[in-house]
Amino acid sequence: MVNTHVQIGELTLKNPVIAASGTFGFGREMQQWNNLSQIGGISSKGLTLNPRLGNDPTRVAETASGMLNSVGLQNPGLQAFIEHELPFMLGLGTTVIANIAGHSLEENVQMAMQLDQTAVHAIELNLSCPNVNKGCMAFGSSAHLIQEVVRAVRQSTTKPLWVKLTPNVTAISEMALAAESAGADAVCLINTLLGMAIDRRSRRPVLRNNTGGLSGPAVKPVALRMVWDVAKSVSIPVIGMGGIMTGEDALEFMIAGATAVQVGTANLVKPTACQDIINEMIMIATAEKITSFSQYTGTLKTW
Amino acid sequence: MVNTHVQIGELTLKNPVIAASGTFGFGREMQQWNNLSQIGGISSKGLTLNPRLGNDPTRVAETASGMLNSVGLQNPGLQAFIEHELPFMLGLGTTVIANIAGHSLEENVQMAMQLDQTAVHAIELNLSCPNVNKGCMAFGSSAHLIQEVVRAVRQSTTKPLWVKLTPNVTAISEMALAAESAGADAVCLINTLLGMAIDRRSRRPVLRNNTGGLSGPAVKPVALRMVWDVAKSVSIPVIGMGGIMTGEDALEFMIAGATAVQVGTANLVKPTACQDIINEMIMIATAEKITSFSQYTGTLKTW
Amino acid sequence: MTQIEFNCPVVNQHRLNDQFVILTLKSAAICDTAQPGQFVNLSCQEFLRRPFGIMAIDRATNEFQVGIQIKGKGTKQLAGLKIGDIVSILGPLGHGFDMTGARRIITVGGGTGVFPLYFVHQTAKELGIERIAICGYRSVEDAILRDEFKAIANRTVFASDTGGLDVIGHAGHALQIALEQLASNTIGSQPTLDQSTFILTCGPKIMMQKVAEMALANGLSCQVSLEEHMGCGIGICLVCVCKIKNHETAEINHQRCCVEGPVFAAEDVVW
Amino acid sequence: MTQIEFNCPVVNQHRLNDQFVILTLKSAAICDTAQPGQFVNLSCQEFLRRPFGIMAIDRATNEFQVGIQIKGKGTKQLAGLKIGDIVSILGPLGHGFDMTGARRIITVGGGTGVFPLYFVHQTAKELGIERIAICGYRSVEDAILRDEFKAIANRTVFASDTGGLDVIGHAGHALQIALEQLASNTIGSQPTLDQSTFILTCGPKIMMQKVAEMALANGLSCQVSLEEHMGCGIGICLVCVCKIKNHETAEINHQRCCVEGPVFAAEDVVW
Ligand SMILES: Cc1cc2nc3c(=O)[nH]c(=O)nc-3n(C[C@H](O)[C@H](O)[C@H](O)COP(=O)(O)OP(=O)(O)OC[C@H]3O[C@@H](n4cnc5c(N)ncnc54)[C@H](O)[C@@H]3O)c2cc1C
Ligand SMILES: Cc1cc2nc3c(=O)[nH]c(=O)nc-3n(C[C@H](O)[C@H](O)[C@H](O)COP(=O)(O)OP(=O)(O)OC[C@H]3O[C@@H](n4cnc5c(N)ncnc54)[C@H](O)[C@@H]3O)c2cc1C
Ligand SMILES: Cc1cc2nc3c(=O)[nH]c(=O)nc-3n(C[C@H](O)[C@H](O)[C@H](O)COP(=O)(O)O)c2cc1C
Ligand SMILES: Cc1cc2nc3c(=O)[nH]c(=O)nc-3n(C[C@H](O)[C@H](O)[C@H](O)COP(=O)(O)O)c2cc1C
Ligand code: FES
Ligand code: FES
């Protein structure tokens, strides 16, 4: 029997596979395909204080081994989340993470304060959404701004605070260090790479928002490198993601230094992805006579 | 009849399709598959002043819709290039670009001075190789250093000077502006994205160099976005690349703002890629009743 | 927890012409619950799945059909499937047409929109609802499924932009004529053109918008089947949204084409 | 400008066991020029091509064979090809074995290394060179191509790590015994063990290194076929390099496995 539990700060996850924000709704639709009590956690769709319609469609473009999305944080607003979605999610028997993406420091602080009064298990501060004009990725591209906003949010809640980083930077480990020094309990990476798709015939961007965020297997090599890089730099846990489709992929991220992983785009093409991945990880660990998933973390032997 | 010529500063290319550095050798091997006089240009393998062995193998890892390489600028050194390769290349009847990747400002200056005495058509200053410890990408990640090295090289040669940028930065248009302000005649982008592949069984990086540069269709959305971004910012020509496999892809880059394109990884899996791409572009342009390839450049209608 | 990913064998592949193919697939689970207007999400070799309306089901054999127009890489691959190949399918998905209270349906289809409307006729026939099928095509060459609609509908009108069929012009034009005839009681078995006549439409957006306006102008209930680029097809990624108006609050919302749709009440759609 | 990308039909697919498959492909151009030790680069559904040594050619039918061990995704796809499928192939590529001046060859193969060595025997037979085949396997179950080597070589020695064949141990061990017998003139038709006996080896690196040391210790010429991960297979990307010593300058260089190799003189290889 493999011990599947992993520890993110004070929080124990029953296994290291978390459904990534924006690719699992609030879990409702996924009950049909998964026994949600068996996955490591669910990160909610990115939340803002007020409801958001998000960007106009077309919001998706298929690319080689991946996709671009430009949803733009469509969500019902924090209050509706707390009233209508969170109670449902907390009843699922898995760890529930609220992904918040305020357009300003103040909005993030206010959301953190409100979430502090709920039973949510952790807050994932999203400083990396590429699909909105204000806040988010703009924060996430500057170590100084990251420090500022993480410190402020840290002071407004005692919940475990995870900070989600953008890969669209020169040195992601500096961003991770900034989050750590400001009190983050974990860093999550990567969010999507800023990209574009063009329809040659119409000479138009496929996405109505012109640009979008690239995810899926195409980005996996970049994500793995960044997770490895960040894990070497910080001492808080790293939650790795980007193109994970299989249990093998997930273990590669753990070997690179991740304590847990998130599975995003895979859910879209294979709704049972999270469960399948956990099962495959258990099979591999069993075959490798590993007694605890946590033994994989950071075991990469570099040349 | 489509006018296939495009203009990069003072240089006229017979068509916009250039073989990218490091993916075409010095052209010798490619004669078997292509009539090299019919392609727009050839950028040489990255050159250093002294011969370089490059990194130890394994130097390649396949990834989803792409590959990582960690060649590390294996090359015979500038002198051998000038003596043994350049005369051959100049005889091919196509535009010849020397890609130089010195580890210091001085080395780049010295190479530019030596090339200035040759008949090479243009110099591509590679500030973006991710596979060497010194110089290159380290320069390319700072607008200030770019400006410094480009200015110095600019002063040491009257050859057309192209600057090749790395995508591993927060704001590539700032890097392009720095190159432009220091006297570059064109900017070329993107070089490879820094990535990693891990062999789960051995818990080793696949590449002996641990990390490598990601290229191929996987990176195309990122490359297109950057080309669009840079083309909006600078007024010198932009030479776009990253994952171009077909004539359609090449035209998308031109629509996004590129005056010419480079084809890299495609040559590896399809040695006739450059010629095939040119032919497809001509077919499309003819069908669209376009009289000159240059009419595509920068025609993207954003939303 | 109901598992709704199926590995379905292809039991037939029928090429109508160089553009259109009808695939017949086997799945008891899909045939058991599918409603007209619902769709299935098929895997191909590309990264994302491809959505297709269900065209017909046969509960006796547990076979169902989708009609595919070859557009890009994915549809080309799917059209090239051979008997015995296995396809991963999610479905039936989405919210289909509602025929509760209908005594007569008029379907207005354009292009590939005629495929899912055939399933509407299958079901309406079972329910004993009068059926008029209006199908619009670009040309006679594109005019697919005519025999099938003739066999299943009480009355058919085929329109072609370039002539050669019943009506020259688009399907909306054909609908106009049909509505006039119905109003003057020259066609159809039901006496009047009232609220129990449902207009159900699927096809190019511009056609559906015209049809919806015409229906609403005539005081008829109208449902439209919208198309949006999809990520998941199951409601989790929010990429497929349509602008839908809430008539009580006058608010415009983004609703998911794959869950709340693809069929929406025409009066709620913000075109 | 010679076009050397070919779309070759699969004319046969022969599964030896759950691990090994022999594909027979048709291409006059490849059969015309292929030399033993050269390889072909096959397209699969993955991004890069996959290199395989040429195992045999039949100039009468213009068919050639490659032996494939299923390792990962690409080899699985290739092993699953069916008769009539078309494969894009680049080849023949690289620098093969040189048998100029040989009166006797001893091939030492391990694992998939036995495949390209079969082609060596085909050619050596045509050239009238005496042929000894030493093949090493992990187990009897893995012991492929034994009948083929028995039929073509003058003498065969099969070694298995786990016993059950001629020799227990690896192919290097079997070579040692064979060399001793040859030296004492108890096997082979040629009188002496001199420079005209060539050792040609292909297989795991560690085995080839042992074989090379043994050959050089016995004053015999030895050629080894190296394997490196490849990008292009045609010399343009420089990812496939091997460390090769220039004996005049004592310099160590990176040479391309796909162009200067895969076969190198054993004494030049930096192991
Ligand atoms: C609910 C629904 C029902 C549909 N029913 C049918 C049907 O019955 N018959 C039929 O032939 N077609 C139908 N379509 C359209 C069909 O899904 C697209 O033609 C198909 O996805 C194109 O794939 P491709 O790879 O050939 O084209 P590409 O253009 O190469 O596809 C690229 C990407 O864009 C998406 N895409 C392209 N066109 C469309 C489109 N029109 N709608 C949604 N996504 C698109 C693809 O799914 C893919 O993700 C339906 C679409 C939806 C949303
Ligand atoms: C010159 C040469 C001749 C060869 N001849 C044969 C032969 O006759 N029969 C045979 O079964 N195999 C041969 N191989 C090895 C064969 O190419 C690999 O087993 C195959 O590429 C693995 O592909 P995969 O997708 O199954 O494995 P994966 O591990 O999924 O492949 C991932 C990547 O690594 C590369 N790779 C993996 N293993 C090797 C390897 N051992 N050598 C080179 N690249 C590798 C693949 O090409 C691919 O790019 C030869 C290799 C070389 C270089
Ligand atoms: C459709 C879609 C919507 C997303 N929405 C969010 C979001 O609201 N908040 C967030 O932090 N990340 C969001 N992401 C990013 C993912 O959580 C994840 O970081 C990224 O997609 C990389 O992982 P993957 O390759 O496994 O998808 C979204 C991704 C996709 C594909
Ligand atoms: C094997 C390999 C070697 C490369 N070597 C160089 C180099 O020496 N100098 C350089 O500027 N770029 C080099 N590149 C980068 C390419 O020129 C190109 O910028 C990049 O691969 C993106 O384009 P692509 O996706 O079409 O390959 C190399 C790329 C590959 C794949
Ligand atoms: S396609 Fe994902 S929500 Fe509709
Ligand atoms: S594989 Fe490209 S040079 Fe050998």
Side-chain angles (χ1 to χ4, degrees):
Chain A
M1 275 292 292
V2 185
N3 176 359
T4 61
H5 293 75
V6 295
Q7 198 68 31
I8 308 287
E10 293 166 13
L11 210 58
T12 305
L13 305 185
K14 61 176 71 170
N15 66 59
V17 179
I18 302 165
S21 179
T23 64
F24 218 75
F26 298 110
R28 286 189 199 276
E29 295 81 6
M30 293 310 254
Q31 294 178 90
Q32 293 182 82
W33 280 277
N34 297 275
N35 181 339
L36 296 181
S37 74
Q38 283 175 19
I39 72 168
I42 302 177
S43 177
S44 77
K45 174 66 199 169
L47 300 165
T48 49
L49 197 56
N50 299 312
R52 267 184 72 96
L53 275 183
N55 294 319
D56 280 347
T58 300
R59 292 182 177 183
V60 63
E62 188 183 53
T63 67
S65 297
M67 62 176 270
L68 292 163
N69 89 80
S70 58
V71 171
L73 296 177
Q74 173 172 344
N75 79 94
L78 187 67
Q79 209 44 51
F81 169 75
I82 292 175
E83 277 169 34
H84 305 301
E85 306 294 349
L86 185 57
F88 164 78
M89 291 178 83
L90 289 170
L92 293 172
T94 184
T95 301
V96 178
I97 303 110
N99 181 284
I100 63 171
H103 64 73
S104 65
L105 183 149
E106 292 71 28
E107 184 177 343
N108 282 317
V109 164
Q110 204 174 331
M111 285 195 281
M113 285 171 66
Q114 288 189 35
L115 284 164
D116 195 60
Q117 306 303 308
T118 70
V120 76
H121 302 115
I123 296 174
E124 184 175 51
L125 177 61
N126 174 355
L127 301 180
S128 44
C129 178
N131 294 321
V132 291
N133 284 330
K134 284 191 287 186
C136 244
M137 204 175 94
F139 286 129
S141 311
S142 146
H144 174 69
L145 293 178
I146 290 178
Q147 214 158 13
E148 213 168 73
V149 63
V150 174
R151 190 175 296 129
V153 172
R154 174 71 295 171
Q155 282 161 3
S156 17
T157 177
T158 56
K159 299 278 180 194
L161 177 61
W162 304 355
V163 176
K164 187 157 171 186
L165 301 173
T166 173
N168 301 293
V169 294
T170 308
I172 196 166
S173 55
E174 287 173 21
M175 307 300 141
L177 282 168
E180 178 180 40
S181 73
D185 296 303
V187 283
C188 307
L189 60 141
I190 61 174
N191 208 316
T192 53
L193 278 160
L194 193 56
M196 185 180 228
I198 291 175
D199 179 54
R200 182 187 58 74
R201 278 166 225 276
S202 64
R203 303 201 188 170
R204 285 277 196 191
V206 175
L207 300 174
R208 190 67 164 74
N209 191 45
N210 297 322
T211 59
L214 183 65
S215 64
V219 309
K220 195 185 106 179
V222 174
L224 264 181
R225 185 262 298 177
M226 290 186 166
V227 164
W228 172 67
D229 205 354
V230 167
K232 283 188 305 181
S233 309
V234 299
S235 43
I236 50 176
V238 175
I239 299 171
M241 77 196 87
I244 295 177
M245 299 296 283
T246 64
E248 289 218 309
D249 293 338
L251 289 176
E252 289 174 16
F253 275 84
M254 293 185 72
I255 291 167
T259 301
V261 298
Q262 293 190 12
V263 173
T265 308
N267 296 302
L268 277 52
V269 290
K270 199 165 193 330
T272 55
C274 283
Q275 272 207 331
D276 295 349
I277 288 170
I278 297 165
N279 291 338
E280 194 189 325
M281 290 169 76
I282 293 175
M283 265 180 46
I284 294 175
T286 307
E288 291 188 339
K289 302 202 184 358
I290 298 292
T291 52
S292 167
F293 275 165
S294 60
Q295 288 165 20
Y296 281 105
T297 297
T299 54
L300 186 71
K301 289 170 278 182
T302 48
W303 297 99
Chain B
M1 275 294 290
V2 186
N3 177 357
T4 61
H5 293 75
V6 295
Q7 199 69 30
I8 308 288
E10 293 166 13
L11 211 59
T12 304
L13 305 185
K14 62 176 69 167
N15 67 58
V17 179
I18 302 165
S21 177
T23 64
F24 217 76
F26 298 109
R28 286 189 198 277
E29 295 80 6
M30 294 310 256
Q31 295 177 89
Q32 294 182 80
W33 280 277
N34 297 275
N35 181 339
L36 295 181
S37 74
Q38 283 175 21
I39 72 168
I42 302 177
S43 178
S44 77
K45 174 66 199 168
L47 300 165
T48 50
L49 196 57
N50 299 312
R52 267 184 72 95
L53 275 183
N55 294 317
D56 280 347
T58 301
R59 292 182 177 184
V60 62
E62 188 181 54
T63 66
S65 296
M67 60 176 270
L68 291 163
N69 89 80
S70 58
V71 172
L73 296 176
Q74 173 172 344
N75 80 92
L78 186 68
Q79 209 41 54
F81 168 76
I82 291 174
E83 276 170 34
H84 305 302
E85 306 294 348
L86 185 57
F88 165 78
M89 290 178 82
L90 289 169
L92 293 172
T94 185
T95 301
V96 178
I97 302 111
N99 180 285
I100 63 171
H103 64 73
S104 65
L105 184 148
E106 293 71 28
E107 183 176 343
N108 282 317
V109 164
Q110 202 173 332
M111 285 196 280
M113 285 171 66
Q114 290 190 33
L115 284 164
D116 196 60
Q117 305 304 310
T118 70
V120 76
H121 301 116
I123 296 174
E124 184 176 51
L125 178 61
N126 174 356
L127 302 181
S128 43
C129 177
N131 293 323
V132 291
N133 284 331
K134 283 190 287 187
C136 243
M137 203 175 95
F139 287 129
S141 311
S142 147
H144 174 69
L145 293 177
I146 289 179
Q147 214 159 13
E148 211 168 74
V149 64
V150 173
R151 189 174 297 128
V153 172
R154 174 69 296 169
Q155 283 161 4
S156 16
T157 178
T158 57
K159 299 278 181 194
L161 178 60
W162 304 355
V163 176
K164 186 157 172 187
L165 302 174
T166 172
N168 300 293
V169 294
T170 309
I172 195 165
S173 55
E174 286 173 23
M175 308 300 141
L177 282 167
E180 178 180 41
S181 72
D185 296 303
V187 282
C188 306
L189 60 141
I190 60 175
N191 208 316
T192 53
L193 278 161
L194 193 57
M196 185 180 228
I198 291 176
D199 178 54
R200 182 187 58 73
R201 279 166 224 275
S202 63
R203 303 202 189 168
R204 284 277 195 192
V206 176
L207 301 173
R208 191 66 164 74
N209 192 43
N210 297 321
T211 59
L214 183 66
S215 62
V219 309
K220 196 184 104 180
V222 174
L224 264 182
R225 185 263 299 178
M226 289 186 167
V227 164
W228 172 66
D229 204 354
V230 166
K232 284 188 305 182
S233 310
V234 299
S235 44
I236 50 177
V238 174
I239 298 171
M241 76 197 87
I244 294 176
M245 300 295 284
T246 65
E248 289 218 308
D249 293 338
L251 289 176
E252 289 174 17
F253 275 84
M254 294 186 70
I255 290 167
T259 301
V261 298
Q262 293 190 13
V263 173
T265 308
N267 296 304
L268 277 51
V269 289
K270 199 165 193 331
T272 55
C274 283
Q275 272 208 331
D276 295 349
I277 287 170
I278 297 164
N279 291 338
E280 194 190 324
M281 289 170 76
I282 293 174
M283 265 181 45
I284 294 175
T286 306
E288 291 188 338
K289 302 201 183 359
I290 298 292
T291 53
S292 167
F293 275 164
S294 60
Q295 287 164 21
Y296 282 105
T297 298
T299 54
L300 185 70
K301 290 169 278 185
T302 49
W303 297 100
Chain C
M1 197 173 124
T2 45
Q3 166 81 6
I4 52 174
E5 179 187 356
F6 305 109
N7 288 314
C8 304
V10 176
V11 294
N12 198 25
Q13 189 262 27
H14 176 55
R15 191 168 264 273
L16 301 178
N17 57 34
D18 60 349
Q19 268 193 76
F20 296 99
V21 166
I22 293 178
L23 280 188
T24 308
L25 299 145
K26 197 175 180 99
S27 165
I30 288 178
C31 292
D32 278 352
T33 62
Q35 297 296 319
Q38 286 192 303
F39 67 97
V40 286
N41 217 357
L42 272 65
S43 268
C44 57
Q45 288 160 43
E46 303 305 304
F47 186 66
L48 295 174
R49 290 171 183 268
R50 299 293 189 262
F52 297 94
I54 298 170
M55 178 189 135
I57 62 168
D58 182 343
R59 290 204 190 82
T61 59
N62 283 327
E63 293 172 5
F64 70 97
Q65 296 184 308
V66 291
I68 298 177
Q69 179 172 25
I70 299 174
K71 287 282 194 69
K73 281 191 202 170
T75 46
K76 191 169 172 200
Q77 289 158 12
L78 291 168
L81 287 172
K82 299 196 185 75
I83 294 175
D85 287 346
I86 302 289
V87 195
S88 159
I89 296 188
L90 302 181
L93 301 174
H95 177 94
F97 291 103
D98 184 356
M99 291 188 266
T100 319
R103 288 202 294 167
R104 179 196 284 132
I105 57 156
I106 306 178
T107 63
V108 188
T112 56
V114 304
F115 289 126
L117 292 174
Y118 182 81
F119 188 15
V120 169
H121 281 262
Q122 258 197 339
T123 309
K125 189 174 177 186
E126 285 171 16
L127 296 171
I129 299 172
E130 185 193 336
R131 302 167 305 285
I132 301 177
I134 299 175
C135 304
Y137 307 103
R138 269 188 306 186
S139 66
V140 178
E141 290 69 43
D142 283 352
I144 49 178
L145 297 198
R146 275 183 294 161
D147 291 342
E148 288 78 357
F149 275 107
K150 274 188 189 152
I152 201 159
N154 299 102
R155 188 170 139 69
T156 58
V157 186
F158 299 118
S160 158
D161 293 347
T162 50
L165 298 174
D166 304 336
V167 172
I168 301 184
H170 51 73
H173 185 53
L175 174 64
Q176 186 64 50
I177 298 171
L179 289 180
E180 282 161 17
Q181 291 176 331
L182 283 170
S184 61
N185 218 342
T186 55
I187 64 163
S189 60
Q190 309 289 340
T192 51
L193 189 61
D194 67 11
Q195 289 270 354
S196 69
T197 295
F198 285 21
I199 313 279
L200 310 177
T201 180
C202 184
K205 203 163 185 172
I206 181 128
M207 179 205 87
M208 291 196 290
Q209 184 174 0
K210 285 245 169 65
V211 167
E213 280 164 10
M214 224 176 281
L216 301 180
N218 284 278
L220 303 176
S221 143
C222 180
Q223 296 168 41
V224 303
S225 180
L226 300 182
E227 223 176 81
E228 252 315 325
H229 287 226
M230 290 185 176
C232 64
I234 58 171
I236 55 174
C237 72
L238 303 184
V239 304
C240 64
V241 293
C242 303
K243 287 195 189 298
I244 301 295
K245 194 177 197 157
N246 180 328
H247 277 282
E248 285 167 32
T249 63
E251 250 182 324
I252 292 172
N253 277 312
H254 276 153
Q255 292 200 2
R256 295 166 296 183
C257 181
C258 68
V259 173
E260 285 82 22
V263 177
F264 292 95
E267 62 267 33
D268 298 345
V269 174
V270 182
W271 295 98
Chain D
M1 196 174 122
T2 46
Q3 166 83 5
I4 51 174
E5 179 187 357
F6 305 109
N7 289 314
C8 304
V10 176
V11 294
N12 197 24
Q13 189 262 27
H14 176 56
R15 191 169 265 272
L16 302 179
N17 56 35
D18 60 349
Q19 268 194 76
F20 296 100
V21 167
I22 292 178
L23 280 188
T24 308
L25 298 144
K26 196 174 179 103
S27 165
I30 288 178
C31 292
D32 278 353
T33 63
Q35 296 297 318
Q38 286 193 303
F39 67 98
V40 286
N41 217 357
L42 272 65
S43 268
C44 57
Q45 289 160 43
E46 303 305 303
F47 186 66
L48 296 174
R49 291 171 183 268
R50 299 290 188 266
F52 297 94
I54 299 170
M55 177 188 134
I57 64 169
D58 182 343
R59 290 205 189 81
T61 59
N62 282 327
E63 293 172 5
F64 70 97
Q65 298 184 306
V66 290
I68 298 177
Q69 179 172 27
I70 299 174
K71 287 282 195 70
K73 281 191 202 169
T75 46
K76 192 170 170 199
Q77 289 157 13
L78 291 168
L81 286 172
K82 299 194 186 76
I83 294 175
D85 287 347
I86 303 288
V87 195
S88 159
I89 296 187
L90 302 181
L93 302 174
H95 177 94
F97 291 103
D98 184 355
M99 292 189 265
T100 318
R103 289 203 294 166
R104 180 197 285 134
I105 57 155
I106 306 177
T107 62
V108 188
T112 56
V114 304
F115 289 127
L117 291 175
Y118 182 81
F119 188 14
V120 169
H121 281 261
Q122 258 197 341
T123 308
K125 190 175 177 184
E126 285 171 17
L127 295 172
I129 299 173
E130 185 194 336
R131 302 167 305 286
I132 301 177
I134 299 175
C135 303
Y137 308 103
R138 267 187 308 187
S139 66
V140 178
E141 289 69 44
D142 282 354
I144 49 176
L145 296 198
R146 274 183 295 161
D147 292 343
E148 289 79 357
F149 274 106
K150 274 188 190 154
I152 203 159
N154 298 102
R155 189 169 137 69
T156 57
V157 187
F158 300 118
S160 158
D161 292 347
T162 50
L165 298 174
D166 305 336
V167 172
I168 301 183
H170 49 72
H173 184 54
L175 174 64
Q176 185 65 48
I177 299 172
L179 289 180
E180 281 161 17
Q181 292 176 331
L182 283 170
S184 63
N185 218 342
T186 55
I187 63 164
S189 61
Q190 309 290 337
T192 50
L193 189 61
D194 66 11
Q195 290 269 354
S196 69
T197 295
F198 286 21
I199 312 279
L200 310 177
T201 180
C202 184
K205 202 163 185 172
I206 182 129
M207 179 204 86
M208 292 195 291
Q209 185 175 358
K210 284 244 170 64
V211 167
E213 280 164 11
M214 225 176 281
L216 301 180
N218 283 278
L220 303 176
S221 143
C222 179
Q223 297 168 39
V224 303
S225 180
L226 300 182
E227 223 175 83
E228 253 316 325
H229 287 226
M230 291 185 174
C232 64
I234 58 173
I236 55 174
C237 73
L238 302 187
V239 303
C240 64
V241 293
C242 303
K243 287 195 188 298
I244 302 295
K245 193 175 195 159
N246 181 327
H247 277 280
E248 285 168 32
T249 63
E251 249 182 326
I252 292 172
N253 277 314
H254 277 154
Q255 291 201 3
R256 295 165 297 183
C257 181
C258 68
V259 172
E260 285 83 21
V263 177
F264 293 95
E267 62 267 33
D268 297 345
V269 174
V270 182
W271 295 98

